[in-house]
Amino acid sequence: MSEKSRKGARTSSRDRAAGGNGGDRAGTGRTGRTSSDDKAGKTAVPERVSVFKTYKLFIGGKFPRSESGRVYEVTDSKGTWLANAPLGSRKDARDAVVAARKAFPGWSGATAYNRGQILYRVAEMLQGRADQFAAEVADAEGLSRAKAAAVVDAAVDRWVWYAGWSDKVAQVAGSANPVAGPYFNLSVPEPTGVVAVLAPQDSSFLGLVSVVAPVVVTGNTAVVLAAESAPLPALSLAEVLATSDLPGGVVNVLSGRVAEVGPPLAGHQDVNAIDLAGAAGQRAAELEAAAAENLKRVLRPAGTDWTADPGPDRMLAFLETKTVWHPIGV
Amino acid sequence: MAFEYAPAPQSRAIVDIAPSYGLFIDGEFVEGTSGELRKTISPASEEVLAEYTQAGAEDVDRAVRAARRAFPAWSALPGAERAKYLFRIARIVQERSRELAVLETLDNGKPIRETRDFDLPTVAAHFFYYAGWADKLPYAGFGPDPRPLGVAGQIIPWNFPLMMLAWKIAPALATGNTVVLKPAETTPLSALFFADVCRQAGLPRGVVNIVTGDGATGRALVEHPDINKIAFTGSTAVGKGIARAVAGTDRRLSLELGGKAANVVFDDAPIDQAVEGIVTGIFFNQGHVCCAGSRLLVQESVAEEVLESLKRRMATLRVGDPLDKNTDIGAINSAEQLARIRALADTGEAEGAERWSPACELPGSGFWFAPTLFTGVTQAHRIAREEIFGPVLSVLTFRTPAEAVEKANNTPYGLSAGVWTEKGSRILWMADRLRAGVVWANTFNRFDPSSPFGGYKESGYGREGGRHGLEAYLDV
């Protein structure tokens, strides 16, 4: 993108987001633009230059840049520059898997009540930053501010919905089995392990939350690749996750190309499952084939309506059933 | 070995009790029609804590009408929105838990260690758990669109005032019902403080109504014609009266009543752990626990060893100021309850059982009863058959597993039971045969919002907690 268009973009997009993040509780978020468009040149008071945020990856609870040193330009729906996002590499993906694996014993071993409270905390933190996310979603998806705010509200409610599932999914998916013999026989769902998630491309935030929350609520850990052309809400969500008592490594967020990061995740021998929501067509088929190498559980892309009641399916897709037998007798 | 403890009192400055309380009806505190006030005292000092309102039939009617008015909107609210109110309540209870713990200890007499570490965390967890069900009812196994019953009248006991409130209100609200709740006459304060939690949470008016008073208030609630559901926790005698009162109506009823749980210790049990479990089973909350392990059934071959160890452990229990953080056993809840415990303990002696208590200095004012053990108890003794609801353990012995089952089930009650053995298959064999709603193996008195609780036989019907707890408030 040319220097000219970048210059023009600064007040209209990123300053707007910065305004939303600031004290502009009314939610218009447009104080920056107002001052630049209407008042610049008419007053002696110099316009305040806002601070841009450097968007980074989220791996193991930390915010590194891509080890590759690369970034790519992210624009809004009109092609206006928004930010440089890290262009994640295969090595970033592998680092994220290591972090997710390391976090798995603690997270899967936490009580369901504890996990539920942490997911609810995410909702609380997100609610407090709703204006910021509404601005980012509006930019990312070309929505009106009101529609973007509704998307963010739905995302907050989705965290709440999944928070409540933590200590109920076993009661819905588990069973006491009346085997024909003197045995106690109980089936319980358990998390499958490290889940790679290719977040949906058509819903940068609500879609993202709708695929991440069901993976982690049951005790899995996740490596998430954000929507390729609209990764900023996902990268900002990492800041919410980092301040919600979620242990580092439970959710790792990458940005970059599906073509580059998808294959190493799908082929990774220490990844237990993959959600292909963000892949399509031939690429999804290739990733599914790569996933067969270590028999990953695969959730195929299905044209999901992210605004609909999600039901328990996305949780069940990443659960194992463990059945315990024990004899009964004196 | 006896340790000296310096006093470690929890400050009561954190709680601000008003001199007098009205009834919480339709989102605000109102005066009772008759103007009659009662006093609630601290059972540890007999100090008057506050006055509260004796609700009459007219007041109960006002509360029921408020709940009825609130019902259509509350039940029509999307589950996800009801959920968020309940999550708010859970969070506010967590935030105010120390205040509520001190209040509960003052009004009830139970140790601060229990209110702080057990009652309040359990209350918050219960609201948190049922909050999550409010928008998931179609997945609970009661059909695709289970409907609430309407207005629930809920009557709770004095042994876990706020926790019993949570067990009643959380599932009722999650499923879309509105409630009129009556706390016990000796412990009304935490429910009245809960009204303020509802206010902070922005709960719509009339969804929760609190009416205080004695048994007459409870009777007015039970007999009110516009109540759809009665939920009662308390004595079996009162429970039977309520069951008679609703007979022939379409009012639903769930009852969580008395118990006389057997705690069965086999010869291969780890003795030290078992002794801890026996102590928890009967002395937790001064024995004011419907599922208390009040009958110890110990295998004959280890009886001597278990009793020796148990007596040693009992001698270390600290009885006294409930606000002291080192206190194990607090005050008996009321003079009336103390008299009942004394009478039954005296009967135990009179009928020939051998009574033992550790040397134990009791405070001069307030209501107190030393932890007590009876040996040489037979199944015919009243202390083996009747619920004492105090810190009194009756010890019986057995020789074979079959005999243990026989004796454990030889009671009209069936709320809970305990089994202590290293052998897993025997635990399950016992669990199959014990006629009790909850069986604890190598543990006792465990509670969790996700775990259903309730009794067989004359311990009542219906379950509270877990997915099963939803059923009591759904039209299924």
Side-chain angles (χ1 to χ4, degrees), chain A residues 207-252:
Chain A
L208 170 90
V209 169
S210 301
V211 294
V212 172
V215 167
V216 296
V217 66
T218 57
N220 295 295
T221 56
V223 175
V224 187
L225 179 63
E228 189 168 312
S229 62
L232 303 186
L235 295 174
S236 288
L237 180 68
E239 296 159 15
V240 168
L241 300 177
T243 52
S244 301
D245 302 328
L246 191 76
V250 171
V251 174
N252 304 275

Side-chain angles (χ1 to χ4, degrees), chain A residues 82-161:
Chain A
L82 293 170
N84 298 320
L87 184 62
S89 66
R90 289 191 300 171
K91 178 67 164 69
D92 291 326
R94 289 200 296 266
D95 288 348
V97 172
V98 169
R101 176 59 62 195
K102 196 174 163 198
F104 181 69
W107 182 243
S108 58
T111 65
Y113 179 45
N114 185 229
R115 285 198 303 270
Q117 289 199 94
I118 289 173
L119 261 69
Y120 185 76
R121 184 72 175 159
V122 173
E124 289 182 334
M125 294 294 102
L126 196 55
Q127 183 82 66
R129 294 172 63 162
D131 287 346
Q132 176 202 337
F133 280 94
E136 289 188 329
V137 169
D139 283 343
E141 302 185 10
L143 299 176
S144 70
R145 202 40 203 274
K147 282 186 177 158
V151 166
V152 174
D153 285 348
V156 172
D157 288 359
R158 190 124 310 160
W159 282 109
V160 174
W161 154 267

Side-chain angles (χ1 to χ4, degrees), chain B residues 381-465:
Chain B
H381 287 158
R382 280 182 66 193
I383 55 169
R385 292 185 288 117
E386 295 180 27
E387 185 176 42
I388 299 172
F389 223 64
V392 180
L393 179 65
S394 303
V395 184
L396 297 88
T397 59
F398 68 91
R399 289 182 180 172
T400 66
E403 186 187 348
V405 169
E406 195 67 37
K407 286 184 168 169
N409 288 339
N410 184 16
T411 164
Y413 295 113
L415 190 50
S416 69
V419 181
W420 297 83
T421 167
E422 289 281 75
K423 202 172 170 195
S425 58
R426 180 182 285 159
I427 289 172
L428 296 167
W429 186 89
M430 289 292 291
D432 269 2
R433 285 158 181 77
L434 291 166
R435 301 285 293 165
V438 181
V439 177
W440 285 294
N442 294 331
T443 187
F444 208 93
N445 271 349
R446 297 288 162 201
F447 305 89
D448 191 277
S450 67
S451 179
F453 182 90
Y456 281 36
K457 301 195 279 186
E458 293 186 21
S459 289
Y461 39 70
R463 293 293 177 269
E464 296 183 293

Side-chain angles (χ1 to χ4, degrees), chain B residues 35 46 104 116 169 225 243 264 323 335 353 376 390 411 429 451:
Chain B
E46 299 174 59
E104 195 83 304
R116 182 194 63 198
I169 290 184
V264 183
L323 277 173
T411 164
W429 186 89
S451 179

Side-chain angles (χ1 to χ4, degrees), chain A residues 158-175:
Chain A
R158 190 124 310 160
W159 282 109
V160 174
W161 154 267
Y162 280 113
W165 269 116
S166 68
D167 48 13
K168 297 172 190 69
V169 68
Q171 297 182 314
V172 171
S175 63

Side-chain angles (χ1 to χ4, degrees), chain A residues 300-313:
Chain A
R300 293 174 175 155
T304 309
D305 173 6
W306 303 110
T307 62
D309 178 343
D313 298 0

Side-chain angles (χ1 to χ4, degrees), chain B residues 255-271:
Chain B
L255 298 169
E256 204 269 88
L257 308 174
K260 193 70 189 177
N263 204 356
V264 183
V265 179
F266 284 96
D267 57 6
D268 67 341
I271 299 296

